[in-house]
């Protein structure tokens, strides 16, 4: 067992984990932050995406012990303290970028990382960036549209209903 | 996953020492190893994380003009930082997996693993890179020894990879539709003294150099210099995603495209 | 003008806030104090006899609570099949037992052999590996036609063969159809495969069984589309627990697409084990496990023949289909290739004579059941592919050939036993030609050509049948369940409303769309209406969500209940206003007396119902709560026309979808935003089927596509923005909302459009290709171009 500590959504947390404990298990089970989901066991679906030290990471493919000392942000840390959705989250709602909601936390975390790197991405750049995030419900149309909208681009023409 | 201990040394020497334990294994980005462990296909007693070793991180140039990449440098950093000096290598790194994979997965892990469909082995082989380990330097031509097989000894770790920079180069990857690894990937690198062509994804023996194409391109670096050249389907991988003949065909198509794209 | 609330408004989804902030409550987020975890030891061979199972070493491992095998379930029922098909000869289908844990034999890779309950998931898995199982491997049958040969190994020793049923529809038409083919001026024949798919909702299945000895009550939390159906099947047929002692909760569910309709062994196991151990038992499927334990979809092999007269009118249609059932009958499996498939074979066309033959076959593969569209995509694909082929053979325009044969008079009784109430197929085709800009195709073709790419255009129509009903008819057809839906509308004292629906939402947005209907009917704000679903303890007996039925059937039940509320509220208002009930009008949340300025607000009426001081107690009970059950008199028949443009890379065979347009007729629309989203998702699944997806087995029954490494899921970069339109509307005539259902259309209508487009592209380049089986992967397209 290893003692670890990290900052999660701005709060210092500590815990005792096995070597094999994955970051996603630490978040979901120890910290009860169940917004981060698990959709596969081959590191491909992206439902578990969180930010570690400012970059997107699949929390199912990182050991909790390897995240010792890290600054972690999850979907629970994306809205303002008073619950107001971030512009990106709001765009997902406005443009119906989610249906069952299972892929959504990972989509939002990945999209947030994209917009940080590339504040005005093209449609192709958005689609390419979502390579590691699978959604089975939306057909991606409204996810791409929401991300483009969140980047401040006019989506009324490119993605007519 | 089976249970294992976890250790995170901060120097290469400590890591080498930690890896002396029976069944200890190096953990770099974990983007291959952790999915493997989840399937319970391996049972290391201990994972030694290389993520805390500062001397294995980052990119620099040596006096020979080579780009030296610390083995624990993630793909995303390579994509961003060598874009100016070696655009084909940067593009390759930027096309591996997806952003989250690129933020964790490392060049050392990729080369140590030598997956037959991985991208980096083709760059290392086509560039004539040198694989530097804690013990020695290995030329790429000696390093790759077939699917998942390398010249590394037990407990030996890659610390750095040195890339000579070609005059022009390109990597073209044709994705396997499900995994998005390379169904076939071709890296073409043109040096003053000749052209090297390395092919990944296609062969049952892992990454390989296509000698006929190299000869033709060394004589005339143009896509049509490859006209009429083809590889036999024998020895190519055949699976759900493509027959041996299809892979052999793709090698020729992608090599032409790489030549056309080389910059 | 788009509306901003009520029916027809694109109200934003209220459920999104919890999903966008990580506050959803999915089954895996539920943990019961003291719970144990189960790991299933699954067969790694496709077919074998269990010689022995030795659990002694495993039982002694750390954390192990108990190990269960098939023997523990000897006194328990098997998993029931919910539909009995009668074959061509009037005999019932062959129906094998489906034990919760394998008994005697394993019949597919993934068949559960033993279950280890332990204190942690890893301990359960460790111990499962320590179970010593000896299996005598038997030859496996994978190919359906081979499975029917006389010397094929039998999946079930106690059945006479691997044939589940041989179904003919309409059997009486068989000779007349044959005669029509004799007389035909032209016959087009096509053999094709509608490949096996895996539904892959992003949330894997999870079950948590809990039990209280003190009250003798069992609770199952499960990833289900229909908790009441699970309660009925599991309680009555498997475990013998009466409904009042069994609660089934399906909380937030991360997508279903059919595969979460069925009652699965793991659900029964967790409920059973929790009772045995008096301790909660949790199972969380990994994706790898999902691939070998979730019911798969499709898997039909078909020969279709279309007869035409000299004027290119369709005169007869004949099909022969082999439908894979897998190793056991999943809950609704037998209905999919029969009643959900044969009845749709008329499509949008007035073909007078149709005969459909379906042979359902057992093989050593994962059971196959309904997946988005269920039977209807298979029907549409065959029909729309054979029509395209006929058009080419005859040298006529494929759209013109379709238009010539469209049904134009409604209601229309098809020769396959269903009656279409409404539709306007020319209108949707006109709309498609406009939104897909078919006129601009030639220019785009030239532009692609300039870039060295082969462009192709594929067009097709579809018809689907939603809200399968009525119960008494489907009962005659073999259904062992009713197909109504329920709703309770509970008006609270201050006028807010809770609607308890038997329908279930796992992405469809009921929590937003259903209130739009109730609020619109009452003239109150949508925010005053809340939807309760997914819990048998809180909702009336309902059938759940599948087959695009929620709004058409569940919404209709809600309308009925709301109408009862309105009727009673008017009586109360009449009393308060001292007027005659007949003069009371309800508008904008106000009850008024016609022709006067006397009125009373909604909230005053509801308060009077619960604080009945001034109330006609002698005539009426207090309170304002009504329940309704709605059993539709017919299916609904959405229809549409789809167009796909692809580019094929001539060097690699890689296909990219450049444009996709869908013109649908869903009747009336409650929330256009949600409807478009449903179409988008369906299109992605249909395009995924056409180009990417396919579950494959090797000849030994090993699953070759057991993870996303080999099963190609559509990604954002595989798909374009879609152009969808649902302005063509011929409202359903037999439900109160005039709605038709939109959940499956995209998945039903899109595969033939894509394949038609690829064939078109290749033929334009001079390749003599008439068909390529899905998925049209680069390697398959390239092989076809090589003449393979
Ligand atoms: C979804 C997904 C998509 C991917 N797509 C691609 C792709 O398109 N192309 C591609 O090339 N790769 C792809 N990968 C693989 C990815 O590039 C991995 O990062 C890489 O193969 C392994 O690097 P790692 O740092 O993660 O190594 P790890 O997983 O940590 O280790 C891999 C192996 O190498 C050993 N090892 C690690 N570092 C060293 C070292 N320095 N010295 C000696 N041994 C070491 C480990 O012991 C282990 O055996 C993908 C991975 C995922 C999850
Ligand atoms: S759960 Fe992490 S990638 Fe699927
Ligand atoms: S919204 Fe359901 S998987 Fe994306």
């Amino acid at each position: 067992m290893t003692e670890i500590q990290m900052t999660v959504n701005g709060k210092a947390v500590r815990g005792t984990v096995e070597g094999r404990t994955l970051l996603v298990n630490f978040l979901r089970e120890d910290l009860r932050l169940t917004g981060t989901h698990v959709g596969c066991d081959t590191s491909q679906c992206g439902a578990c995406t969180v930010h570690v030290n400012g970059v997107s990471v699949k929390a199912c493919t990182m050991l909790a012990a390897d995240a010792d000392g890290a600054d972690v942000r999850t979907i629970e840390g994306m809205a303002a303290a008073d619950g107001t959705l971030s512009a990106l989250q709001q765009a997902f709602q406005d443009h119906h970028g989610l249906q069952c909601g299972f892929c959504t936390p990972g989509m939002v975390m990945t999209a947030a990382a994209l917009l940080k790197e590339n504040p005005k991405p093209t449609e192709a750049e958005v689609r390419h960036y979502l390579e590691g995030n699978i959604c089975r419900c939306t057909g991606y149309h409204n996810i791409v549209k929401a991300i483009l909208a969140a980047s401040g681009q006019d989506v009324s023409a490119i993605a007519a209903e | 996953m089976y249970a294992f201990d976890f250790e995170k040394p901060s120097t290469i020497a400590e890591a080498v020492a930690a890896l002396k334990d029976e069944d200890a294994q190096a953990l770099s980005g974990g983007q291959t190893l952790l999915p493997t462990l989840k399937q319970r296909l391996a049972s290391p007693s201990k994972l030694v994380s290389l993520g805390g070793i500062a001397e294995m991180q980052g990119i620099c140039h040596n006096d020979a003009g080579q780009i030296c990449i610390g083995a624990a440098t993630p793909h995303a950093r390579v994509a961003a930082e060598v874009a100016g000096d070696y655009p084909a290598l940067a593009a390759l790194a930027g096309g591996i997996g997806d952003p989250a994979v690129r933020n964790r997965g490392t060049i050392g892990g990729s080369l140590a693993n030598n997956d037959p469909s991985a991208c980096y082995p083709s760059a290392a082989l086509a560039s004539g890179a040198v694989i530097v380990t804690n013990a020695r330097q290995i030329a790429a031509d000696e390093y790759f020894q077939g699917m998942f097989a390398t010249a590394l000894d037990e407990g030996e770790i890659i610390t750095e990879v040195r890339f000579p920079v070609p005059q022009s180069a390109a990597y073209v990857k044709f994705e396997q539709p499900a995994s998005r690894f390379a169904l076939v990937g071709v890296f073409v690198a043109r040096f003053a003294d000749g052209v090297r062509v390395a092919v990944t994804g296609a062969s049952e023996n892992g990454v390989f150099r296509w000698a006929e194409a190299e000869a033709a391109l060394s004589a005339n670096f143009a896509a049509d210099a490859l006209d009429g050249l083809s590889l036999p389907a024998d020895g190519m991988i055949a699976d759900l995603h493509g027959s041996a003949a299809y892979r052999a065909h793709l090698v020729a198509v992608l090599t032409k495209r790489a030549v056309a794209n080389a910059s | 003008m788009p509306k901003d609330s009520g029916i027809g408004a694109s109200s934003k989804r209220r459920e999104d806030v919890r999903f966008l902030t990580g506050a959803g409550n999915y089954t895996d987020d539920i943990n019961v104090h003291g719970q144990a975890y189960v790991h299933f030891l699954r067969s790694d061979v496709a077919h074998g006899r269990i010689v022995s199972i030795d659990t002694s070493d495993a039982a002694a491992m750390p954390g192990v609570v108990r190990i269960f095998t098939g023997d523990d379930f000897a006194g328990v029922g098997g998993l029931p099949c919910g539909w009995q098909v009668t074959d061509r000869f009037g005999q019932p289908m062959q129906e094998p037992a489906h034990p919760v844990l394998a008994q005697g034999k394993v019949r597919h890779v993934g068949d559960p052999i033993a279950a280890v309950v332990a204190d942690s998931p890893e301990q359960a898995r460790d111990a499962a590996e320590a179970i010593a199982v000896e299996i005598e491997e038997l030859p496996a049958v994978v190919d359906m036609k081979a499975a029917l040969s006389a010397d094929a190994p039998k999946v079930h020793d106690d059945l006479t063969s691997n044939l589940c049923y041989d179904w003919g529809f309409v059997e009486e038409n068989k000779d007349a159809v044959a005669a029509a083919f004799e007389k035909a001026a032209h016959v087009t024949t096509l053999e094709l495969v509608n490949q096996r798919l895996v539904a892959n909702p992003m949330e894997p299945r999870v079950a948590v069984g809990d039990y209280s000895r003190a009250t003798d009550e069992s609770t199952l939390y499960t990833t289900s589309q229909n908790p009441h159906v699970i309660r009925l099947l599991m309680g009555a047929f498997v475990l013998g627990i009466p409904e009042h002692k069994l609660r089934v909760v399906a909380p937030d569910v991360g997508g279903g697409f059919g595969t979460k309709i069925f009652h699965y062994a793991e659900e029964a196991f967790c409920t059973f084990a929790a009772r045995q151990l008096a301790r909660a038992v949790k199972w969380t499927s990994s994706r790898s496990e999902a691939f070998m334990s979730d019911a798969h979809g499709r898997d039909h092999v078909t020969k279709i023949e279309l007869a035409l007269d000299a004027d290119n009118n369709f005169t007869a249609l004949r099909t022969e289909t082999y439908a894979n059932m897998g190793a056991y009958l999943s809950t609704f499996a037998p209905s999919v290739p029969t009643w959900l498939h044969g009845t749709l074979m008329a499509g949008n066309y007035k073909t007078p004579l149709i005969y459909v033959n379906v042979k359902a076959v057992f093989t050593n593969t994962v059971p196959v059941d309904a997946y988005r569209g269920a039977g209807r995509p298979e029907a549409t694909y065959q029909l729309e592919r054979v029509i395209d082929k006929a058009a080419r053979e005859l040298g006529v325009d494929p759209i013109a050939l379709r238009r010539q044969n469209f049904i134009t008079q409604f209601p229309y009784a098809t020769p396959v036993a269903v009656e279409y109430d409404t539709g306007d197929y020319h209108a949707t085709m006109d709309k498609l030609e406009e939104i897909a800009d078919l006129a601009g195709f030639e220019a785009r073709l030239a532009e692609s050509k300039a870039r060295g790419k082969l462009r192709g255009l594929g067009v097709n129509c579809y018809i689907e049948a939603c809200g399968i009903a009525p119960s008494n008819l489907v009962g005659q057809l073999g259904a062992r369940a009713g197909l109504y839906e329920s709703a309770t509308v509970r008006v609270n004292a201050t006028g807010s409303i809770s609607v308890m629906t038997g329908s279930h939402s796992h992405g469809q947005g009921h929590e937003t769309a259903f209130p739009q209907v109730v609020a619109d009917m009452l003239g109150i704000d949508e925010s005053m209406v809340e939807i309760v679903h997914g819990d048998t303890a809180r909702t009336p007996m309902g059938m759940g969500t599948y087959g695009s039925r929620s709004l058409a059937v569940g919404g209709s039940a809600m309308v009925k209940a709301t109408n009862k509320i309105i009727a009673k509220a008017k009586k109360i208002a009449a009393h308060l206003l001292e007027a005659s009930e007949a003069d009371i009008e309800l508008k904008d949340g106000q009850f008024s007396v016609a022709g006067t300025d006397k009125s009373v607000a909604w909230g005053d009426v509801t308060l009077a119902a619960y604080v009945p001081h001034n109330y006609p107690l002698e005539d009426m009970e207090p309170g304002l709560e009504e329940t309704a059950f709605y059993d539709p008199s017919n299916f609904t028949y959405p229809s549409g026309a789809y167009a796909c443009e692809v580019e094929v890379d001539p060097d690699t065979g890689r296909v990219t979808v450049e444009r996709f347009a869908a013109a649908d007729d869903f009747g009336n629309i409650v929330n256009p935003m949600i409807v478009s989203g449903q179409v988008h998702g369906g299109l992605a699944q249909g395009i995924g089927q056409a180009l990417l997806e396919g579950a494959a087995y090797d000849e030994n029954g090993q699953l070759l596509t057991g993870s996303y490494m080999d099963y190609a899921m559509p990604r954002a970069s595989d798909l374009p923005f879609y152009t969808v339109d649902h302005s063509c509307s011929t409202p359903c005539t037999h439900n109160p909302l005039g709605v038709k259902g939109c959940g499956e259309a995209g998945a039903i209508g899109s595969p033939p459009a894509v394949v038609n487009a690829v064939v078109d592209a290749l033929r334009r380049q001079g390749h003599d290709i008439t068909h390529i089986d899905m998925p049209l992967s680069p390697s398959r397209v390239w092989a076809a171009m090589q003449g393979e």
Side-chain angles (χ1 to χ4, degrees), chain C residues 754-776:
Chain C
V754 180
V755 179
N756 289 348
V758 174
V759 171
D760 181 57
L762 297 177
R763 292 188 70 89
R764 283 173 194 272
Q765 182 69 8
H767 293 284
D768 182 24
I769 289 169
T770 52
H771 180 68
I772 308 175
D773 273 325
M774 303 185 289
L776 273 60

Side-chain angles (χ1 to χ4, degrees), chain A residues 42-44 58 61 132, chain B residues 25-35 50 56 71-72 75 92 95-98 101 104-113 115 117-121 143 152 156-159 171 173 175 179-182, chain C residues 709 715:
Chain A
T42 49
S43 309
Q44 285 168 296
K58 290 176 173 172
T61 318
Chain B
Q25 191 172 358
L27 170 73
S28 195
Q31 303 302 294
T32 293
L33 185 53
L34 294 178
L50 307 177
M56 282 177 66
H75 310 325
L92 174 145
I96 293 175
D98 56 65
V101 166
R104 294 289 304 159
T106 66
I107 185 168
S110 180
L111 293 177
N113 193 52
D115 187 302
S117 317
C119 300
Y120 264 128
Y143 177 81
L152 291 178
E156 185 172 10
I157 50 181
I158 304 176
T159 56
Y171 176 64
K173 173 184 180 184
E175 289 178 355
S179 72
R180 319 273 158 146
F181 275 67
Chain C
M709 293 299 282
R715 313 289 216 282

Side-chain angles (χ1 to χ4, degrees), chain B residues 223-242:
Chain B
D224 38 5
L226 296 165
D227 283 349
L229 280 193
S230 66
L231 278 167
D234 260 11
M236 294 286 161
I237 298 171
D239 62 15
L240 199 62
H241 306 288

Side-chain angles (χ1 to χ4, degrees), chain A residues 97-104 107 134-138 143, chain C residues 201-203 254-255 257 506-507:
Chain A
L98 63 153
Q99 292 182 21
C100 79
F102 198 79
C103 72
T104 308
M107 287 289 176
I134 303 177
C135 175
R136 194 54 153 169
C137 297
T138 64
I143 292 178
Chain C
M202 291 321 296
E203 177 201 33
F257 314 113
H506 32 280

Side-chain angles (χ1 to χ4, degrees), chain C residues 573 576-577 586 588-591 599-607:
Chain C
L576 295 175
L577 294 165
L586 170 62
D588 296 337
Q590 290 279 333
F591 294 91
S599 74
V600 57
W602 166 251
D604 293 325
V605 171
T606 62
L607 192 65

Side-chain angles (χ1 to χ4, degrees), chain C residues 586-618:
Chain C
L586 170 62
K587 191 162 180 284
D588 296 337
Q590 290 279 333
F591 294 91
S592 55
V593 184
T596 75
D597 59 0
K598 288 206 301 181
S599 74
V600 57
W602 166 251
D604 293 325
V605 171
T606 62
L607 192 65
Y610 290 96
V611 187
H613 298 165
N614 177 15
Y615 194 89
L617 285 170
E618 43 304 326

Side-chain angles (χ1 to χ4, degrees), chain B residues 2 40 180 241 246 249 257, chain C residues 122 126 129 651-652 718:
Chain B
Y2 295 108
R40 296 196 161 202
R180 319 273 158 146
H241 306 288
Y246 182 57
H249 166 76
R257 290 186 180 177
Chain C
E122 296 289 357
D126 289 342
E129 286 182 8
D651 297 330
T652 65
D718 297 319

Side-chain angles (χ1 to χ4, degrees), chain B residues 1-3 37-40 174-181 183 239-243 245-246 249-250 253-254 257, chain C residues 122 125-126 129 288 649 651-654 692 696 704-705 708-715 717-718 777-779 782:
Chain B
M1 288 192 275
Y2 295 108
L37 294 181
K38 283 189 212 172
Q39 304 295 321
R40 296 196 161 202
F174 192 85
E175 289 178 355
Q176 192 257 55
S179 72
R180 319 273 158 146
F181 275 67
L183 186 75
D239 62 15
L240 199 62
H241 306 288
S243 62
Y246 182 57
H249 166 76
L250 280 182
V253 172
L254 302 188
R257 290 186 180 177
Chain C
E122 296 289 357
R125 190 164 173 187
D126 289 342
E129 286 182 8
S288 304
D649 178 340
D651 297 330
T652 65
R654 182 158 183 266
L692 294 161
L704 299 175
T705 48
Y708 295 149
M709 293 299 282
D710 289 299
Y711 188 91
M713 290 288 280
R715 313 289 216 282
S717 58
D718 297 319
S777 62
S779 64
W782 180 78

